[in-house]
Amino acid sequence: AQRVTQPEKLLSVFKGAPVELKCNYSYSGSPELFWYVQYSRQRLQLLLRHISRESIKGFTADLNKGETSFHLKKPFAQEEDSAMYYCALNNRGNRKLIWGLGTSLAVNP
Amino acid sequence: NAGVTQTPKFQVLKTGQSMTLQCAQDMNHNSMYWYRQDPGMGLRLIYYSASEGTTDKGEVPNGYNVSRLNKREFSLRLESAAPSQTSVYFCASSGAVLGTEAFFGQGTRLTVV
């Protein structure tokens, strides 16, 4: 079955600490993965997509096909990173996004 | 560049009332979606439309209907609102190109009393 798992509902770190938000997926075929972010009371917006291998706001995410993971990392968390983060997998067959349940990141001063 | 526009932003309904949530996108996207977002349950797909003239059920379609009026517009209708439909609703759209992202509306916060 196609699935995205984000094992942590809540992650709390101090400012300046490294942060890693975990995402594991199950998909038959070559996956197309994204990280979306939702700041308080705002719309969801794309943060990263694996296909472009970019770094946005200091965040990076590497696709590890062996471990079927797409973890989101930042070496030094900032308070403005506090938000809800969703990992998503694109089902290329019907182009529906399969969502994880999200991880709420709290960066404390 | 408006992107995806949803109306209304907030709505309070009484049980049994009906309403339609409107969504429009100006990015010439083929695919459009309606999600609901509830605490601890993430985003759940209600209905989606892969192209103009087609609609399909998602994970939680019961109690909802949709209309893909044209390529730009995709509306969600609650015929007889129930308290269980209290939620935040998001409309989204995406193109058909590999790696394309989904763009979201600002959400509708619906309370059914």
Side-chain angles (χ1 to χ4, degrees):
Chain A
Q2 297 151 357
R3 185 181 297 123
V4 174
T5 303
Q6 292 179 253
E8 303 136 331
K9 281 189 177 180
L10 174 65
L11 188 60
S12 183
V13 301
F14 286 104
K15 177 183 172 181
V19 63
E20 180 180 67
L21 289 84
K22 292 184 168 52
C23 173
N24 290 89
Y25 67 91
S26 173
Y27 185 68
S28 55
S30 187
E32 184 182 357
L33 288 154
F34 305 86
W35 275 100
Y36 284 80
V37 61
Q38 185 180 27
Y39 300 103
S40 180
R41 301 228 169 202
Q42 293 187 27
R43 69 182 73 198
L44 277 88
Q45 56 187 290
L46 179 70
L47 181 63
L48 287 176
R49 70 191 86 192
H50 92 271
I51 199 168
S52 54
R53 299 183 63 82
E54 57 203 342
S55 173
I56 302 292
K57 299 183 179 182
F59 284 98
T60 58
D62 290 319
L63 176 61
N64 185 323
K65 291 187 178 180
E67 295 182 359
T68 60
S69 68
F70 188 55
H71 302 329
L72 183 68
K73 299 177 183 179
K74 185 169 183 176
F76 307 103
Q78 303 299 315
E79 289 179 67
E80 55 264 31
D81 296 329
S82 296
M84 193 74 173
Y85 291 81
Y86 289 96
C87 184
L89 168 70
N90 194 12
N91 182 329
R92 297 178 190 216
N94 57 21
R95 303 219 60 87
K96 282 194 295 183
L97 283 168
I98 301 166
W99 295 88
L101 292 182
T103 297
S104 177
L105 175 64
V107 181
N108 304 302
Chain B
N1 185 0
V4 179
T5 304
Q6 266 180 258
T7 56
K9 288 187 179 180
F10 302 95
Q11 184 71 51
V12 178
L13 290 178
K14 293 182 179 178
T15 298
Q17 286 186 316
S18 62
M19 78 161 294
T20 299
L21 282 67
Q22 307 286 353
C23 176
Q25 52 92 7
D26 61 3
M27 295 170 284
N28 201 36
H29 284 163
N30 286 320
S31 300
M32 296 187 74
Y33 312 83
W34 276 105
Y35 291 94
R36 59 178 291 171
Q37 184 183 42
D38 301 290
M41 304 189 77
L43 286 166
R44 291 184 292 171
L45 183 64
I46 304 170
Y47 271 94
Y48 73 104
S49 171
S51 62
E52 184 180 354
T54 67
T55 61
D56 285 287
K57 295 179 179 180
E59 302 169 64
V60 288
N62 291 344
Y64 305 95
N65 285 301
V66 290
S67 295
R68 184 75 183 266
L69 304 170
N70 46 55
K71 193 170 187 179
R72 289 188 65 248
E73 298 172 290
F74 188 40
S75 62
L76 178 72
R77 183 160 179 84
L78 286 71
E79 290 291 351
S80 178
S84 60
Q85 294 178 305
T86 294
S87 186
V88 180
Y89 292 85
F90 286 97
C91 176
S93 71
S94 66
V97 177
L98 178 65
T100 189
E101 66 187 272
F103 290 83
F104 283 80
Q106 76 271 33
T108 298
R109 193 170 291 272
L110 175 67
T111 302
V112 183
V113 298

